[in-house]
Amino acid sequence: MNKFIVDLNKEQKNAVLHEGSPLAIIAGAGTGKTWTLTHKIGYLIEIKKYIPERILAVAFTNKAANEMKERLIQSIGEKASKIQISTYHSFCSKVLRKEISKIGYSSSFNILDNKDQQQILSPIYKKYNISPKTLSYNSTIAYISKNKILFNDPKKLIKDAINDDQKILAKIFNDYTNNLNQIGSLDFDDLLIKTKEIFDKYSEVSKKWSNNYDYVLVDEFQDTSLVQYEIIKKISQHNNITIVGDPDQTIYTWRQADVNLINNFKKFFKKSKIIKLIKNYRSTKSILEKANRLIMHNKNRIPKDLETNSKEEGYIDFYHASSEDSEARWIVQQIMELRKLRHQLKDIAILYRANYLSGPIEKSLINSGINYVIFGGVKFFQRMEIKDVISYLKILNNYDEFAFKRMINTPKRKIGQITIKNIEKFALFKNKTLYKVIVENLNELPISNLVKKELVKFINLINKYKFALKNNSIHLVLSNFLKEINYLSIWNPTTEESRIDNIKEFINEIKYWEKQNKNKNIDDYINEISLYTDKSEYSFASDYVSLMTVHSAKGLEFKNIFIAGFSDTIFPSARAIREGGEPALEEERRLAYVAVTRAKKNLYISDARGFSIDQKFRKKPSQFLGEMGIDVSEFTEQFKDNYISDRKFVIGDHISHIRFGNGVITNIRNDVVDIVFKEPHGVKTLVKNHKSIERLK
């Protein structure tokens, strides 16, 4: 008996045995795709006698490549070490070491890592007087990467820029590109781009590399970008190629993954065969039913329904909370119940659409003494922007010395490190705090008159808003203070949008706290928040709850999954849909599908009443809940006062809004419309059934 098919189901077996034409294995969540892929490689070597060195297997990450190699070593022994298992980037690096001289580079070129890229950006930042705190290196690197993969010319981006932020980023991109060309180095994106360039220009080179391999296998093909696809196609000219992936889990289009590449595989590779893996070995029947019902609403997909033979009963619950804090407390309560049933914390994960949603959940976990770890991000109260805002709050409250020192030059006030050290030395000599020595000994300070003027403006603003705290709410004073000092403007809205969202969420949290604690003051709030900033630093033990965005959860599985913040405008993201329309909505649905299919046994979904982070929309349960078959009608009574029955608008309709005046509808997506109003309002995305909107006759 062939050991490579004995433990496989019918579809997996067919995939392993298939030969003679390109093969696409459409593998649903939890259907054993890696198991099938490694069995096929073992079958090709042990049964069909392919030479291991002439098999190329491509994975997306080093971790995935190493896992594939380990499984193959267990299966076929040391032969596995001879198989060419690599990532796209490591394969391209291998090609370029031999071929890059054809396009004028030395074969000993240097490959830049993230730290190297930051070193190149550092003098460019100084040239344009930009601080890494106001525009992080990583956000700029992400901007450069995106535009490189799209083959955007930096000079054209400079010319087409519609504001200063776009122009500065394009100039940095241009200088960065020139610098790399001068030193003859490549970054990770260049590895792909230069390989494609050589393969396109020199067909004999691509044929040579294609002849090096008798079989090519590609994992996670749904995450493939057009550049990666072009490279794979060039080295698969013999048509001995197998790709594995799930178009329903394409969630990285912002990294240039193209779902059409796997959906249209038959079109790109003639005479190819499609085999679907639909038997799920992870989740209970009830969870799969919800996932199947959800994803069937996507039109751009290869139809398939996941099945399971599992008899185990799962548990699905939905909770509609009165607030985000109430939602967080409910999640913690359910975790406590799971612990009573002997579930370990490591079997529990809390997922959310955006990082800013973790704040209330972290607070509730800390209050309950539950250990947790944030994966793929920083704990909420340790995020730079949150620490900045808390520092400003402490300054307004009591001129806190450490907070004052942290924020004295944020945003930029022309107060450099040397100036700060001179003030500190003088303060030490006078035995005073920084704040006091500036207020009481300003004229004696060994600093320039220009810096003195900046300090006076800063101190006056602090005093103005400290006085305002006596008769106004904390959240309102803080919000206005941040606006007047232009703090939000230091974060680039193109590349640092998540930081701005975190600040908005934090201010909303303060507002909610004030509503719940009417007899308490700013001292009470700072004392309370200090507990979270302090405890969020503790080191984790071996047992902890995992917190992460849904994107970070891809490829993982847990017995118990919580999906928090499952509200329209959040999940699906109003911002994503506004920018990407129907394709973006389908990607949001795929993202929700990924979240649901992470659950092995129990699935908990929650949302909260209130308003969206920008305060534009009253939140309501996500449309995805209804698509899953979860009845939310009993939770939507609250909307009847503000929303009316479905109205049929068409693009071009003239409408009137009670706040923004008259406007014209330019786009319609499900229950939202884009409306162009007169300045200063501009384009607004609004719920079409809200009573504030009326059609003009």
Side-chain angles (χ1 to χ4, degrees):
M1 176 65 74
N2 181 350
K3 73 172 185 175
F4 296 103
I5 60 172
V6 69
D7 54 354
L8 303 182
N9 64 40
K10 179 183 175 183
E11 291 76 21
Q12 291 172 332
K13 196 178 297 182
N14 289 340
V16 168
L17 297 176
H18 175 79
E19 277 192 280
S21 67
L23 171 65
I25 304 172
I26 306 301
T31 57
K33 69 174 182 61
T34 306
W35 181 257
T36 305
L37 191 64
T38 52
H39 273 58
K40 185 170 184 71
I41 296 172
Y43 170 78
L44 289 172
I45 293 169
E46 294 287 89
I47 307 300
K48 303 304 291 185
K49 304 303 179 185
Y50 278 76
I51 300 170
E53 294 93 332
R54 294 185 61 79
I55 291 179
L56 174 67
V58 181
F60 263 79
T61 64
N62 287 318
K63 180 173 179 283
N66 290 333
E67 285 177 358
M68 192 185 298
K69 184 166 285 187
E70 286 171 11
R71 289 198 187 193
L72 283 164
I73 288 173
Q74 292 172 8
S75 174
I76 63 173
E78 284 308 308
K79 289 180 184 177
S81 62
K82 298 178 181 179
I83 303 167
Q84 305 298 300
I85 303 175
S86 67
T87 62
Y88 278 104
H89 291 95
S90 59
F91 170 75
C92 289
S93 175
K94 185 178 178 181
V95 172
L96 293 175
R97 290 295 179 197
K98 295 183 179 296
E99 312 293 352
I100 200 168
S101 60
K102 289 180 171 56
I103 55 173
Y105 283 78
S106 166
S107 60
S108 59
F109 63 86
N110 185 38
I111 302 172
L112 304 182
D113 62 17
N114 185 269
K115 290 293 182 187
D116 297 328
Q117 289 177 291
Q118 291 184 21
Q119 285 184 2
I120 287 174
L121 288 173
S122 180
I124 300 173
Y125 270 43
K126 288 176 183 175
K127 174 181 174 181
Y128 295 110
N129 195 28
I130 296 168
S131 165
K133 188 171 181 180
T134 59
L135 179 62
S136 74
Y137 289 133
N138 283 338
S139 63
T140 299
I141 290 168
Y143 166 86
I144 291 170
S145 175
K146 176 183 176 180
N147 282 286
K148 275 189 153 187
I149 293 299
L150 291 174
F151 294 94
N152 288 332
D153 178 15
K155 291 184 175 61
K156 188 173 188 306
L157 289 173
I158 294 171
K159 183 180 177 182
D160 294 343
I162 59 175
N163 56 46
D164 290 340
D165 286 341
Q166 287 185 10
K167 184 161 282 188
I168 283 293
L169 278 167
K171 285 182 176 179
I172 294 172
F173 178 22
N174 188 59
D175 289 1
Y176 171 89
T177 302
N178 291 338
N179 196 312
L180 259 62
N181 289 337
Q182 288 170 7
I183 62 177
S185 294
L186 306 182
D187 61 24
F188 278 92
D189 295 308
D190 287 325
L191 296 177
L192 302 175
I193 292 165
K194 301 300 182 187
T195 300
K196 180 182 181 302
E197 180 184 342
I198 291 170
F199 281 176
D200 286 347
K201 283 184 177 178
Y202 304 97
S203 59
E204 70 277 10
V205 174
S206 63
K207 284 177 183 175
K208 179 179 83 175
W209 282 89
S210 179
N211 290 334
N212 284 345
Y213 305 108
D214 295 324
Y215 214 105
V216 175
L217 305 100
V218 185
D219 196 10
E220 300 287 7
F221 197 79
Q222 78 279 348
D223 295 331
T224 301
S225 70
L226 188 58
V227 175
Q228 292 164 334
Y229 163 75
E230 293 288 354
I231 292 168
I232 284 297
K233 192 171 182 184
K234 293 282 188 182
I235 58 169
S236 305
Q237 295 176 25
H238 43 60
N239 277 334
N240 276 348
I241 179 172
T242 291
I243 63 103
V244 184
D246 182 7
D248 288 337
Q249 295 186 71
T250 302
I251 59 173
Y252 293 116
T253 57
W254 47 280
R255 290 183 187 167
Q256 312 318 312
D258 188 346
V259 70
N260 293 310
L261 295 176
I262 188 168
N263 280 343
N264 297 324
F265 185 78
K266 276 193 115 170
K267 176 181 173 184
F268 301 136
F269 284 88
K270 305 300 182 186
K271 298 181 180 178
S272 58
K273 184 177 179 64
I274 307 292
I275 294 177
K276 300 177 187 178
L277 304 186
I278 59 172
K279 188 165 287 186
N280 178 281
Y281 296 95
R282 175 189 298 158
S283 306
T284 60
K285 186 176 181 180
S286 54
I287 290 171
L288 294 183
E289 179 191 13
K290 296 288 184 275
N292 287 334
R293 290 184 66 162
L294 171 67
I295 202 64
M296 67 181 287
H297 287 81
N298 272 8
K299 295 174 183 175
N300 188 17
R301 66 185 291 260
I302 297 172
K304 69 180 187 308
D305 276 353
L306 296 179
E307 302 172 354
T308 181
N309 291 331
S310 172
K311 304 298 181 187
E312 188 176 13
E313 286 298 321
Y315 178 76
I316 298 176
D317 198 7
F318 169 67
Y319 182 68
H320 182 63
S322 59
S323 67
E324 290 178 358
D325 275 13
S326 175
E327 179 185 12
R329 287 195 298 272
W330 177 80
I331 290 171
V332 169
Q333 184 181 4
Q334 304 313 304
I335 291 173
M336 296 290 202
E337 292 298 319
L338 286 168
R339 292 183 81 176
K340 288 178 185 177
L341 296 171
R342 300 186 179 279
H343 286 259
Q344 293 182 291
L345 295 181
K346 66 182 181 182
D347 292 328
I348 301 169
I350 304 171
L351 312 182
Y352 33 77
R353 177 63 182 84
N355 275 312
Y356 73 83
L357 295 164
S358 76
I361 299 169
E362 291 187 57
K363 280 172 58 180
S364 198
L365 289 167
I366 291 169
N367 286 340
S368 302
I370 296 175
N371 212 2
Y372 72 95
V373 176
I374 298 267
F375 286 88
V378 179
K379 290 187 173 183
F380 188 82
F381 295 103
Q382 294 305 316
R383 293 168 193 167
M384 181 190 294
E385 61 278 11
I386 299 301
K387 292 177 81 169
D388 282 355
V389 175
I390 291 173
S391 293
Y392 269 131
L393 205 54
K394 289 179 176 178
I395 293 169
L396 295 180
N397 184 42
N398 63 3
Y399 308 115
D400 183 274
E401 177 75 353
F402 292 105
F404 186 80
K405 183 179 177 182
R406 177 185 175 92
M407 306 312 296
I408 193 170
N409 196 40
T410 304
K412 288 282 188 182
R413 299 185 183 93
K414 302 170 185 172
I415 307 170
Q417 287 301 312
I418 294 174
T419 301
I420 293 172
K421 285 179 181 176
N422 288 338
I423 299 173
E424 284 180 316
K425 284 180 184 176
F426 192 80
L428 190 64
F429 172 73
K430 290 287 186 179
N431 196 27
K432 294 180 180 180
T433 64
L434 276 181
Y435 175 81
K436 274 196 172 183
V437 84
I438 291 169
V439 171
E440 297 173 3
N441 305 88
L442 181 69
N443 292 328
E444 303 172 55
L445 291 176
I447 56 177
S448 69
N449 288 331
L450 183 63
V451 173
K452 288 176 183 177
K453 286 180 182 178
E454 290 292 328
L455 286 171
V456 168
K457 282 196 290 185
F458 185 37
I459 297 295
N460 286 341
L461 274 176
I462 291 171
N463 289 331
K464 171 184 172 182
Y465 283 93
K466 182 175 177 62
F467 181 78
L469 275 171
K470 293 180 180 179
N471 301 306
N472 296 279
S473 62
I474 303 169
H475 78 273
L476 186 63
V477 171
L478 180 61
S479 180
N480 288 334
F481 175 72
L482 294 176
K483 285 176 185 173
E484 187 156 357
I485 64 169
N486 293 318
Y487 178 76
L488 290 180
S489 68
I490 75 174
W491 305 114
N492 189 297
T494 304
T495 55
E496 303 279 358
E497 202 165 29
S498 63
R499 294 189 186 274
I500 297 170
D501 284 346
N502 286 335
I503 295 164
K504 289 176 181 176
E505 175 64 18
F506 184 60
I507 291 172
N508 288 341
E509 274 284 297
I510 297 174
K511 184 179 180 181
Y512 179 78
W513 181 90
E514 291 180 286
K515 185 178 177 182
Q516 300 299 114
N517 299 275
K518 292 181 179 177
N519 296 322
K520 293 185 178 181
N521 58 28
I522 187 171
D523 281 323
D524 297 311
Y525 180 75
I526 288 175
N527 286 336
E528 188 173 313
I529 210 71
S530 295
L531 297 176
Y532 301 124
T533 57
D534 194 35
K535 288 182 182 176
S536 66
E537 289 276 27
Y538 64 77
S539 60
F540 55 83
S542 59
D543 200 24
Y544 51 82
V545 175
S546 300
L547 272 67
M548 65 191 82
T549 64
V550 182
H551 281 101
S552 297
K554 175 79 164 30
L556 303 178
E557 58 182 46
F558 296 86
K559 283 183 182 176
N560 309 284
I561 286 287
F562 290 82
I563 309 175
F566 216 61
S567 304
D568 271 343
T569 74
I570 296 176
F571 204 170
S573 161
R575 182 184 298 146
I577 296 170
R578 183 169 61 247
E579 294 173 359
E582 188 64 29
L585 177 60
E586 292 214 349
E587 175 138 353
E588 290 291 301
R589 192 175 284 112
R590 291 194 295 268
L591 195 57
Y593 174 82
V594 166
V596 170
T597 54
R598 297 313 92 197
K600 295 168 72 174
K601 186 173 182 180
N602 300 314
L603 175 65
Y604 303 84
I605 305 174
S606 58
D607 81 322
R609 292 195 288 274
F611 288 88
S612 59
I613 193 168
D614 56 10
Q615 302 294 299
K616 289 182 180 178
F617 303 112
R618 187 183 293 275
K619 291 192 293 185
K620 60 179 180 178
S622 171
Q623 71 179 73
F624 294 155
L625 288 162
E627 293 175 5
M628 277 187 234
I630 296 175
D631 184 9
V632 297
S633 59
E634 62 181 293
F635 305 115
T636 55
E637 293 298 313
Q638 60 181 311
F639 301 106
K640 288 187 177 177
D641 290 339
N642 291 324
Y643 293 84
I644 61 178
S645 59
D646 192 50
R647 294 183 292 187
K648 302 297 181 186
F649 287 114
V650 296
I651 293 173
D653 273 353
H654 289 256
I655 63 93
S656 174
H657 188 274
I658 57 174
R659 180 179 170 193
F660 304 126
N662 294 346
V664 178
I665 294 176
T666 58
N667 198 11
I668 301 171
R669 299 183 306 281
N670 298 315
D671 62 344
V672 298
V673 289
D674 291 341
I675 305 171
V676 177
F677 294 100
K678 293 180 180 178
E679 293 299 332
H681 303 302
V683 179
K684 301 289 182 185
T685 302
L686 304 173
V687 178
K688 70 178 181 181
N689 292 325
H690 202 280
K691 283 188 174 181
S692 61
I693 301 174
E694 289 184 8
R695 182 190 282 110
L696 295 174
K697 294 180 180 178

